[in-house]
Amino acid sequence: MSVHALRKSASSSFVFVGIGLPIEASAPAYQSHGTEGSHLTNITNTKKAFPVLAVNYEHVRKPFEIALWILLALLMKLGFHLIPRLSAVVPESCLLIVVGLLVGGLIKVIGEEPPVLDSQLFFLCLLPPIILDAGYFLPIRPFTENVGTILVFAVIGTLWNAFFMGGLLYALCQIESVGLSGVDLLACLLFGSIVSAVDPVAVLAVFEEIHINELVHILVFGESLLNDAVTVVLYNLFEEFSKVGTVTVLDVFLGVVCFFVVSLGGVLVGAIYGFLAAFTSRFTSHTRVIEPLFVFLYSYMAYLSSEMFHLSGIMALIACGVVMRPYVEANISHKSYTTIKYFLKMWSSVSETLIFIFLGVSTVAGPHAWNWTFVITTVILCLVSRVLGVIGLTFIINKFRIVKLTKKDQFIVAYGGLRGAIAFSLGYLLSNSHQMRNLFLTAIITVIFFTVFVQGMTIRPLVELLAVKKKKESKPSINEEIHTEFLDHLLTGVEGVCGHYGHYHWKEKLNRFNKTYVKRWLIAGENFKEPELIAFYRKMELKQAIMMVESGQLPSVLPSTISMQNIQPRAIPRVSKKREEEIRRILRANLQNNKQKMRSRSYSRHTLFDADEEDNVSEVRLRKTKMEMERRMSHYLTVPANRESPRPGVRRVRFESDNQVFSADSFPTVHFEQPSPPSTPDAVSLEEEVPKRPSLRADIEGPRGNASDNHQGELDYQRLARCLSDPGPNKDKEDDDPFMSC
Amino acid sequence: MYLSVLDSRQSLFCSSVSFEQIGILHKRFKQLSHNEDTLRRDDLNTIPDLSCNPIRTQIIEAFFDKRNFHQNGEGTVQEISFEEFLVVMSHFRPPALDMTEEQREIIRREKLRFLFNMHDTDNDGTITLEEYRHVVEELLSRSGALGKETAKGIADAAMLEVASISMGHMEPDEFYEGITFEHFLKILKDIEIETRMNIRFLNMDTTNLCK
């Protein structure tokens, strides 16, 4: 078992803790773990005083050591970011490996055996969080648009790498002077297949920091995820073959079949668990606290199940995350969504850190067999085969792509093919019967070091130098969203006119199938009818409202002074038009979202808010408060008009829709009968809000100078805005929303 | 054969539509028009794939909009010939790999002009609030009983955004007439339209036909 390995090999590394501390005889109840030596003192006949303070390290050794390692890793990570210049130049992964080397060296100096990155620990505990994080937040649109290219790179590229390297290394081993004539072809091919796969952990770690444009990112990243199936099949294949020693045509054929089984099987397993998770999340409206756990556990089960059948666990995880995400996000609460996001990021961050540190430690620890020629050739061949593979495949792929890959793109794709811990773990898994195992391990480690250090460090300046297009950091724009949707429909329509069943046609069919059949089953309540554009719009408004609430004041956060007045026909100038628009917009957001936003302040272990027994009551109260708000708003908005003296030359136009604004129906809100999520709508109680936020009153003072009605109107509306703390399910893609508590 | 009709201004268009693609489109044209020489609106209306498209009317109108045929055309026609059909379709071809930045810019403008024409139904050169509202309403029309209010809200917010980006600052009594083509270009410059507004089968490697 992995943890035992950890414990055994690290046992004496902490021996210095035990030295000098009297190991007392604790009460018999603590002896159940069968630790050695601590109960021997019990046998003496003399009566000992009751042990007031006793140390029993063995009792907590296992979790203590694990926690200590993790803490060390995180402290290192913390330390790097405190050194400003360092983290800008050197990618974090390199620093962590160096730390691992240092720690490993330290342990060796003490004279102990440093722990090695145990493969089981790696594959079962450290890798899944990273992959789940990647899969759950996989940007679907660019992925599906480029899935053909990604698959070609992942499958054919990896096969090419494996055979090219394996073959050439075998040829090298045939040369007498190298001294490796004992290595047969299958062993070389096995080695080639281990070292040829691009590693998602390393790619993620490096690419995260360089912010490259979306296309190249998704190509390299997608390839690193999807090549797992190829790696698994090739590894198992060659491992089996090298035991047997001969290969027949049937074996090769079976290998190909195996590839399809592994990859499609993995995806299927993942999809099944994904649908299960989505279905489960439909019923979690009463137990919101455990919602994130369902996501994590179903995904982990998908991974373990597929590993059980020797299918591709990574593809299962990706499929699970991708399948369940749209439905789960429509069902769960906003807080659960944030929890899932933060937990995934946290776990994947910890895993990544631990992996790199252990990689460093294992380098110091592991048995090494160095052969200059072999190792150097491996490194060079890695680069060469990658470059050749990318160029060759791109040449073919570009014939089928609309958006061709430029030379710069190709270069980054080739240069970004980093190897990482997966290769090491696979090498470590090789049974000791391979006489070349140590040599292979050394070579793998060297390749990993080379790619992570050299390529990882230089890729950022190269990106700058080549002026490769970077990811555009832009705020979501509602115009872009409208036009994206418009374009989808337009292109589907034009494809229909041409009679060509293309990309958009099938996408549209899938969407329709999804909406009519699948969403009905997997999304709770009436939510499944809500189209994307509306969700996007609501999310945007919510954001602005939250920003407003956070800043504690009404003034606009818009960079410009343009308001609805400037756009509506026959606008009226007002003293505080800016505020008026903000208020109106916020009201709109509030009133249409109220059902989702109402939460009480009770927190218990089982619920985060009260049950919805007050549904009807809240509905009525809501309407009343809405009327009240409108009355106040109308009062507020019309009063200044009466008081203003007309300035000469200013065009004063009656705002015709002003009067309409204050009636329930013409208000640009979504009507209340509309489908709303089932999250429990608790009552909005404006009255309760007042005593809670006395300090805010001071902030609302604006250059109004008008009657207290304005103030009051603002206050009411401010209170209403406060209820935005938990707006219920929405597709929030930004990550800077704070945890809001009402 | 048909290419001689297209004038030199459109040479940029036809240079990337290959002979066989024209053949395919010609066959389709004949099929839609029931072997006549011109296509009418009703012929397009009967396409089953279009029936569930929310912006069907706009798409069909775009084929009969004279602004999409020539630079200076205006108004709509009742029937179109194959050349005009081809010209409309050519708005959906992708830029070639070896194009310069200016050529890409031209293509970008042309595609965005097509979209602009689809929105600007009264051809006054601007997309007014009413027209934009209509666009959003149509987009959401198939999405269920959510009513016009949401569409209005979305369109209002979008218009506000355009005004904010294009005008920066406006006096309270100034009135923003509508989205002009330049503003339209500005707000959509980030969506890389030249790579997105393409029909895949028009992208096979081409031979230059009219030089």
Side-chain angles (χ1 to χ4, degrees):
Chain A
M1 242 340 270
S2 59
V3 188
H4 283 182
L6 186 64
R7 176 182 166 188
K8 236 187 343 210
S9 50
S11 62
S12 34
S13 63
F14 290 97
V15 82
F16 58 88
V17 174
I19 291 174
L21 294 169
I23 304 212
E24 283 294 337
S26 321
Y30 294 113
Q31 299 302 316
S32 54
H33 289 281
T35 54
E36 63 274 10
S38 55
H39 61 283
L40 286 175
T41 49
N42 218 2
I43 300 177
T44 59
N45 293 329
T46 58
K47 180 174 179 298
K48 283 208 179 302
F50 185 76
V52 174
L53 190 64
V55 176
N56 186 356
Y57 179 65
E58 289 303 319
H59 177 51
V60 296
R61 155 171 287 167
K62 216 167 21 183
F64 192 85
E65 286 172 3
I66 295 175
L68 203 61
W69 272 105
I70 298 180
L71 194 58
L72 165 76
L74 295 176
L75 285 173
M76 287 297 127
K77 202 174 161 97
L78 197 69
F80 296 150
H81 287 283
L82 290 178
I83 312 173
R85 295 270 321 274
L86 197 61
S87 49
V89 171
V90 185
E92 210 175 79
S93 39
C94 304
L95 294 171
L96 288 169
I97 294 185
V98 167
V99 166
L101 286 172
L102 289 174
V103 170
L106 202 66
I107 295 181
K108 213 160 193 175
V109 159
I110 296 183
E112 300 310 329
E113 189 67 31
V116 189
L117 182 61
D118 181 53
S119 295
Q120 207 161 9
L121 175 70
F122 175 74
F123 280 114
L124 293 184
C125 300
L126 294 179
L127 190 60
I130 301 179
I131 304 296
L132 180 60
D133 180 37
Y136 195 78
F137 294 109
L138 196 67
I140 290 294
R141 194 179 264 267
F143 186 76
T144 47
E145 280 173 9
N146 294 297
V147 76
T149 314
I150 293 176
L151 278 174
V152 167
F153 276 128
V155 178
I156 303 183
T158 312
L159 282 173
W160 156 258
N161 280 346
F163 282 102
F164 182 76
M165 282 191 64
L168 281 187
L169 281 173
Y170 179 63
L172 179 76
C173 290
Q174 299 304 97
I175 302 176
E176 288 299 324
S177 58
V178 174
L180 290 171
S181 43
V183 184
D184 63 336
L185 180 63
L186 282 170
C188 281
L189 284 176
L190 180 59
F191 176 71
S193 69
I194 295 176
V195 96
S196 62
V198 177
D199 185 78
V201 180
V203 163
L204 256 179
V206 169
F207 271 57
E208 198 103 319
E209 302 178 357
I210 60 177
H211 297 301
I212 200 129
N213 68 60
E214 209 174 45
L215 173 64
V216 171
H217 186 142
I218 198 71
L219 282 180
V220 181
F221 185 56
E223 180 196 342
S224 70
L225 290 174
L226 295 185
N227 66 14
D228 180 61
V230 180
T231 312
V232 164
V233 170
L234 279 181
Y235 180 82
N236 287 328
L237 217 63
F238 289 131
E239 177 95 351
E240 287 295 320
F241 288 168
S242 59
K243 285 201 196 117
V244 175
T246 53
V247 182
T248 63
V249 177
L250 181 66
D251 291 329
V252 174
F253 176 68
L254 282 179
V256 173
V257 171
C258 184
F259 166 70
F260 284 106
V261 167
V262 162
S263 49
L264 295 176
V267 170
L268 189 68
V269 168
I272 292 176
Y273 276 99
F275 281 121
L276 275 177
F279 190 63
T280 312
S281 71
R282 189 179 160 186
F283 302 107
T284 55
S285 51
H286 298 283
T287 46
R288 294 280 186 199
V289 268
I290 57 174
E291 270 174 340
L293 277 177
F294 283 118
V295 170
F296 301 142
L297 288 173
Y298 273 114
S299 315
Y300 195 47
M301 292 284 286
Y303 181 76
L304 293 176
S305 308
S306 64
E307 284 288 321
M308 189 165 69
F309 294 109
H310 281 292
L311 304 174
S312 166
I314 290 185
M315 294 189 79
L317 262 183
I318 305 282
C320 187
V322 164
V323 162
M324 80 175 152
R325 185 178 180 197
Y327 310 109
V328 162
E329 285 195 350
N331 286 334
I332 61 177
S333 72
H334 188 58
K335 282 191 170 112
S336 296
Y337 172 78
T338 315
T339 308
I340 291 178
K341 190 164 67 173
Y342 274 95
F343 261 87
L344 281 178
K345 297 286 176 209
M346 182 184 80
W347 272 329
S348 63
S349 183
V350 168
S351 280
E352 195 179 289
T353 313
L354 277 175
I355 287 176
F356 283 116
I357 288 190
F358 266 120
L359 211 53
V361 174
S362 311
T363 312
V364 174
H368 288 299
W370 186 265
N371 181 316
W372 275 104
T373 332
F374 188 81
V375 172
I376 301 292
T377 321
T378 310
V379 173
I380 296 177
L381 277 182
C382 253
L383 272 178
V384 167
S385 76
R386 175 89 182 148
V387 169
L388 286 179
V390 167
I391 293 182
L393 286 175
T394 316
F395 182 70
I396 303 174
I397 290 172
N398 267 346
K399 295 206 197 301
F400 298 96
R401 281 181 65 90
I402 293 186
V403 181
K404 319 273 182 202
L405 295 176
T406 62
K407 291 246 179 322
K408 279 189 206 166
D409 294 336
Q410 289 175 44
F411 173 73
I412 299 293
V413 170
Y415 205 65
L418 306 173
R419 315 302 202 262
I422 290 186
F424 177 78
S425 305
L426 282 176
Y428 200 72
L429 268 180
L430 282 175
S431 62
N432 278 320
S433 59
H434 288 276
Q435 77 267 43
M436 291 292 122
R437 181 173 175 265
N438 293 341
L439 176 63
F440 287 170
L441 266 182
T442 312
I444 292 173
I445 290 187
T446 315
V447 169
I448 295 177
F449 271 43
F450 180 79
T451 56
V452 170
F453 278 95
V454 175
Q455 288 178 232
M457 272 202 273
T458 54
I459 201 168
R460 203 198 306 229
L462 276 174
V463 162
E464 303 283 336
L465 195 68
L466 293 176
V468 179
K469 229 180 345 169
K470 295 252 186 141
K471 184 161 72 173
K472 53 177 177 62
E473 306 285 351
S474 59
K475 305 195 309 280
S477 148
I478 193 144
N479 280 293
E480 285 179 11
E481 192 67 25
I482 291 177
H483 280 95
T484 306
E485 189 139 336
F486 190 83
L487 265 180
D488 272 347
H489 290 300
L490 173 65
L491 290 169
T492 315
V494 174
E495 275 188 359
V497 169
C498 297
H500 170 65
Y501 282 167
H503 196 63
Y504 288 93
H505 178 89
W506 294 114
K507 197 158 96 158
E508 181 62 31
K509 272 216 151 67
L510 184 68
N511 278 342
R512 239 178 307 136
F513 174 74
N514 193 15
K515 195 190 288 197
T516 8
Y517 298 111
V518 184
K519 278 190 178 172
R520 200 175 287 274
W521 285 104
L522 297 179
I523 295 187
E526 302 280 303
N527 235 5
F528 63 94
K529 293 206 196 102
E530 187 175 84
E532 256 186 59
L533 190 57
I534 305 221
F536 179 86
Y537 172 62
R538 284 230 200 99
K539 178 189 92 171
M540 255 187 61
E541 288 213 326
L542 204 58
K543 262 203 173 358
Q544 282 181 333
I546 290 179
M547 274 201 297
M548 203 117 334
V549 168
E550 287 219 291
S551 60
Q553 49 190 347
L554 284 179
S556 77
V557 292
L558 285 186
S560 77
T561 57
I562 296 184
S563 69
M564 281 309 294
Q565 236 104 269
N566 299 109
I567 292 173
Q568 292 277 10
R570 296 180 276 156
I572 312 180
R574 287 213 180 279
V575 171
S576 49
K577 69 216 166 319
K578 202 177 11 167
R579 309 241 168 149
E580 172 195 331
E581 172 44 32
E582 291 314 311
I583 291 167
R584 221 179 264 140
R585 191 172 326 137
I586 295 307
L587 266 181
R588 221 186 303 147
N590 290 347
L591 292 175
Q592 81 190 18
N593 280 335
N594 253 334
K595 271 206 173 157
Q596 311 169 27
K597 288 178 280 186
M598 292 181 280
R599 297 278 179 269
S600 83
R601 272 152 249 102
S602 77
Y603 281 81
S604 70
R605 292 280 309 278
H606 305 287
T607 60
L608 286 175
F609 44 80
D610 287 337
D612 54 348
E613 59 265 310
E614 308 160 299
D615 227 341
N616 296 335
V617 177
S618 64
E619 181 81 44
V620 166
R621 228 191 289 182
L622 197 62
R623 266 174 232 250
K624 263 201 267 188
T625 53
K626 192 173 149 202
M627 288 301 147
E628 158 107 7
M629 283 300 310
E630 281 162 9
R631 189 181 63 73
R632 287 184 199 274
M633 280 300 302
S634 66
H635 195 63
Y636 160 65
L637 286 174
T638 51
V639 161
N642 295 339
R643 304 221 189 128
E644 274 175 47
S645 52
R647 290 180 316 187
V650 165
R651 182 167 64 105
R652 296 195 57 98
V653 182
R654 190 85 200 111
F655 194 168
E656 66 150 44
S657 56
D658 253 346
N659 298 328
Q660 298 170 9
V661 166
F662 316 114
S663 69
D665 297 317
S666 64
F667 210 92
T669 62
V670 177
H671 207 249
F672 265 69
E673 270 70 41
Q674 68 131 348
S676 61
S679 46
T680 63
D682 293 320
V684 151
S685 42
L686 290 181
E687 300 72 29
E688 290 169 36
E689 296 280 0
V690 178
K692 303 269 180 202
R693 301 269 190 263
S695 56
L696 257 309
R697 256 176 239 238
D699 297 337
I700 307 177
E701 301 296 86
R704 300 198 172 271
N706 279 336
S708 58
D709 292 298
N710 301 343
H711 200 68
Q712 189 59 22
E714 281 196 61
L715 205 63
D716 283 332
Y717 137 61
Q718 181 72 4
R719 286 183 222 135
L720 204 52
R722 194 147 315 292
C723 296
L724 289 173
S725 56
D726 196 352
N730 57 23
K731 298 186 174 71
D732 195 332
K733 291 183 186 89
E734 319 299 291
D735 57 4
D736 51 356
D737 279 343
F739 278 100
M740 311 255 323
S741 58
C742 200
Chain B
M1 324 157 257
Y2 299 100
L3 302 172
S4 55
V5 180
L6 304 168
D7 63 8
S8 58
R9 272 177 304 178
Q10 286 140 4
S11 59
L12 199 58
F13 295 3
C14 67
S15 67
S16 55
V17 181
S18 75
F19 223 26
E20 44 183 309
Q21 287 162 8
I22 296 183
I24 295 173
L25 286 172
H26 186 57
K27 251 195 288 223
R28 178 69 178 167
F29 184 83
K30 284 298 188 196
Q31 186 189 16
L32 286 174
S33 64
H34 309 292
N35 276 322
E36 292 175 29
D37 285 328
T38 57
L39 198 63
R40 263 177 287 268
R41 282 190 178 77
D42 292 329
D43 299 324
L44 290 180
N45 267 326
T46 54
I47 300 177
D49 288 324
L50 277 187
S51 57
C52 35
N53 199 315
I55 54 170
R56 181 171 64 123
T57 337
Q58 276 106 319
I59 297 177
I60 295 178
E61 275 310 306
F63 276 90
F64 294 89
D65 190 340
K66 282 220 274 206
R67 286 174 296 175
N68 292 329
F69 303 157
H70 309 287
Q71 296 282 39
N72 305 317
E74 267 191 34
T76 61
V77 291
Q78 290 306 315
E79 33 182 55
I80 55 171
S81 64
F82 180 64
E83 293 83 8
E84 287 151 348
F85 181 74
L86 204 56
V87 171
V88 172
M89 286 305 303
S90 67
H91 284 90
F92 294 93
R93 91 252 179 263
L97 189 60
D98 49 358
M99 275 190 177
T100 63
E101 192 55 36
E102 296 92 50
Q103 284 173 320
R104 278 179 185 267
E105 186 62 33
I106 295 175
I107 292 189
R108 202 174 300 144
R109 285 185 81 97
E110 164 205 322
K111 291 186 195 281
L112 285 174
R113 183 88 222 174
F114 186 86
L115 283 184
F116 189 81
N117 290 341
M118 283 182 82
H119 298 330
D120 181 21
T121 42
D122 61 359
N123 196 20
D124 59 355
T126 58
I127 305 178
T128 61
L129 185 62
E130 280 310 316
E131 286 169 343
Y132 212 11
R133 277 184 186 158
H134 181 70
V135 169
V136 180
E137 269 164 29
E138 288 294 302
L139 259 187
L140 297 177
S141 59
R142 300 263 165 182
S143 317
L146 290 170
K148 300 180 92 173
E149 298 304 330
T150 326
K152 211 150 79 137
I154 295 178
D156 291 348
M159 201 72 174
L160 195 64
E161 196 183 72
V162 179
S164 309
I165 294 179
S166 328
M167 305 291 284
H169 171 81
M170 280 176 84
E171 291 305 317
D173 53 351
E174 282 178 355
F175 176 56
Y176 182 66
E177 300 291 337
I179 311 178
T180 62
F181 185 55
E182 291 309 319
H183 296 166
F184 193 69
L185 282 178
K186 202 164 164 186
I187 56 168
L188 289 183
K189 69 174 163 42
D190 280 334
I191 65 171
E192 291 188 1
I193 192 133
E194 74 270 16
T195 54
R196 293 180 66 166
M197 187 165 143
N198 301 310
I199 300 288
R200 205 165 265 269
F201 87 110
L202 288 179
N203 81 328
M204 305 299 266
D205 254 336
T206 65
T207 53
N208 276 351
L209 292 161
C210 37
K211 297 240 171 114

